[in-house]
Amino acid sequence: MKKYLFLLLMLLATIYSSAQNKREFRGAWIQCVNGQFQGLSTQEIQANLIYQLDQLQRDGINAVIFQVRPECDALYASKYEPWSRFLTGIQGQAPAPYWDPLQWMIEQCHKRGMELHAWINPFRAKTKGTNVLASNHIAMLHPERVFSYDNQLILNPGIPENRDYIYKIVQDIVSRYDIDGIHIDDYFYPYPVAGQQIPDSNQFRQHSNGFTNIADWRRDNVNIFIKGLCELIHKTKPWVKFGVSPFGIYRNLKNAANGSDTNGLQNYDDLYADVLMWVNNGWVDYTAPQLYWQIGHPTADYETLIKWWNLNASNRPLYIGEDIERTCKYADLHSPGSNQLMAKYKLHHEMNHVQGTVLWYSRLLADNYGNYASALHNNYWKYPALPPLMLFLDNKAPRKPRKMKPVWTSDGYILFWQAPKAKDWGDTTERYVVYRFGKNEKLNINDPSKIVCITSEPIFKLPYLNGKTKYIYVVTALDRVGNESHIAKKKVKL
């Protein structure tokens, strides 16, 4: 019986892999707050990240979300905030030998054909484990602008100067670094703790903005921040994507008619994050709700939630935040001998508005926890994928590559081409897609199985064998937001 069940599961996985979309966001979070860089040298940290990136590329990841500002600090060269203790062990201490992790990660991701989204925690000023702050930390310079809650420090969202301060930090990152996105997660107002009150009544009286209910005021503070941040990012660089990864429950049905049939913590009521307003007003470019629970969870059922987000948050690209460990830990409700990976990806496939996945977290995927990576590599993400289109950012494709030519070199048979001419950022080529077709095959670039490479370089080394087999190679250009050009093609014998 188990043998037949295994064969059925493999058959279903094959069906899903053959139905892959050419465009799909395949992201992974690389965090620093788990201490994975603590006590390591620059060389060791880089080796750790190279290992992860190589594995992520192999398993189909096309976007890395890299944590660069966990507590008003920096894993990059900032003139405003101190170096992070999660990088060097001591807040304010620069790495030695010196390097800039954000710049380094941008270069590493781009040469692998991946996007790099810089992940910041906007309002969190101190995590529970941090005991000493650097002298130039915002909480040391302006203690009146933070409040303490559950052994954390929070930049008070109700103080307008704090929003302006975060805008300054983000503008600095966006203007100086060649990132593809700015990403924030679910930390706005702090997660509620029994017996503790948010100490912001004074700010409410000073900056009420006409609100009489403090909960509505708090939501408005976050709304103002999100709208302003989106506008700032796109004014600085129109192609940089702004993404938010909120907590997985918007509201519970018992509290609101548009809520989900769940009974957990709520974005709207407990974190003061009106995510649907941001989506429906176009204040974010994508959302990646953290649906970390299992199918069948008693208070936050995964199936209920993915269907709710699919129905309610489709005005902007929707990606699903997946927890690798819990997906592998819990059994499929209908096939107890299997974990929930297949059932979850079946739901993904059935959702007409879900355009991607973000995996929590990178190291588990790189280490093939629970054979999760193998399932992606061999089945669900067997072929490469381009990022989803964002026509609201740019709807014009670049011109096709020019002067495509195969050339024998000392390094082998190389296909060369030149970038198309461009007048502005919307025409500029960022990457190329290389396809291969057999002699009599139809040139269908919508078939992801024909993609052999996504690269930032205008060259591709051809797999020459004996010169007896005819192929047609097709190359297209991608702009900064993923619009694809018409094809350039060349016949070769390999």
Side-chain angles (χ1 to χ4, degrees), residues 25 63-66 68 102 106 110 115-120 170 173-174 177-184 233-234 237 239-243 285-286 390 393 480:
F25 192 89
V64 169
I65 300 173
F66 181 54
V68 299
L102 176 55
I106 291 167
H110 284 180
E115 292 186 350
L116 189 286
H117 294 224
W119 165 19
I120 70 167
V170 172
I173 295 172
V174 174
Y177 291 93
D178 188 25
I179 58 173
D180 301 286
I182 285 286
H183 182 93
I184 63 176
I233 292 168
H234 293 152
K237 286 182 181 175
W239 60 87
V240 172
K241 303 167 185 177
F242 175 38
D285 297 324
Y286 69 85
M390 292 189 176
L393 292 182
R480 291 300 312 234

Side-chain angles (χ1 to χ4, degrees), residues 237-387:
K237 286 182 181 175
W239 60 87
V240 172
K241 303 167 185 177
F242 175 38
V244 178
S245 178
F247 183 72
I249 299 173
Y250 174 68
R251 301 192 80 183
N252 295 314
L253 184 60
K254 64 183 179 183
N255 295 328
N258 66 340
S260 54
D261 189 12
T262 51
N263 291 287
L265 187 88
Q266 304 164 100
N267 272 294
Y268 184 93
D269 302 84
D270 302 313
L271 302 178
Y272 308 101
D274 191 351
V275 183
L276 288 192
M277 175 177 280
W278 312 340
V279 170
N280 290 328
N281 286 332
W283 296 346
V284 296
D285 297 324
Y286 69 85
T287 52
Q290 299 168 26
L291 305 192
Y292 289 168
W293 304 279
Q294 71 271 25
I295 300 171
H297 189 285
T299 60
D301 172 50
Y302 178 94
E303 182 171 354
T304 297
L305 284 166
I306 193 173
K307 290 179 178 178
W308 185 92
W309 284 97
N310 179 69
L311 180 65
N312 289 279
S314 61
N315 199 43
R316 280 293 186 260
L318 171 64
Y319 317 139
I320 302 300
E322 295 280 358
D323 183 282
I324 292 175
E325 183 175 5
R326 275 176 272 193
T327 297
C328 295
K329 176 181 177 181
Y330 289 96
D332 188 316
L333 299 184
H334 303 291
S335 304
S338 175
N339 65 32
Q340 292 196 352
L341 187 150
M342 181 174 292
K344 287 186 174 182
Y345 275 83
K346 180 176 182 293
L347 285 169
H348 275 244
H349 185 72
E350 292 170 351
M351 300 297 109
N352 58 335
H353 295 302
V354 172
Q355 298 183 52
T357 308
V358 187
L359 297 175
W360 177 259
Y361 52 95
S362 168
R363 184 71 194 214
L364 289 180
L365 184 64
D367 290 344
N368 197 23
Y369 181 90
N371 289 319
Y372 199 104
S374 294
L376 295 182
H377 177 72
N378 295 324
N379 296 302
Y380 304 105
W381 294 353
K382 186 175 182 179
Y383 308 117
L386 308 186

Side-chain angles (χ1 to χ4, degrees), residues 101-212:
L102 176 55
Q103 179 60 37
W104 186 88
M105 281 290 287
I106 291 167
E107 294 167 1
Q108 293 292 322
C109 287
H110 284 180
K111 78 178 186 180
R112 290 172 173 81
M114 300 173 177
E115 292 186 350
L116 189 286
H117 294 224
W119 165 19
I120 70 167
N121 302 88
F123 292 103
R124 187 170 64 191
K126 185 187 83 68
T127 60
K128 292 181 181 181
T130 297
N131 298 315
V132 179
L133 297 176
S135 60
N136 64 330
H137 190 275
I138 186 65
M140 299 293 286
L141 297 174
H142 293 283
E144 75 282 1
R145 283 164 48 182
V146 302
F147 62 76
S148 178
Y149 189 92
D150 192 30
N151 201 29
Q152 302 178 87
L153 291 179
I154 308 296
L155 279 178
N156 192 332
I159 299 177
E161 290 81 3
N162 283 339
R163 297 194 290 267
D164 293 338
Y165 174 74
I166 300 168
Y167 294 158
K168 178 177 70 172
I169 299 301
V170 172
Q171 185 173 36
D172 179 54
I173 295 172
V174 174
S175 63
R176 291 196 298 120
Y177 291 93
D178 188 25
I179 58 173
D180 301 286
I182 285 286
H183 182 93
I184 63 176
D185 55 21
D186 51 333
Y187 292 103
F188 303 103
Y189 281 89
Y191 276 65
V193 175
Q196 296 196 34
Q197 299 293 322
I198 296 175
D200 62 350
S201 56
N202 288 335
Q203 286 75 33
F204 178 48
R205 285 192 295 270
Q206 295 170 14
H207 307 288
S208 66
N209 295 329
F211 286 94
T212 57

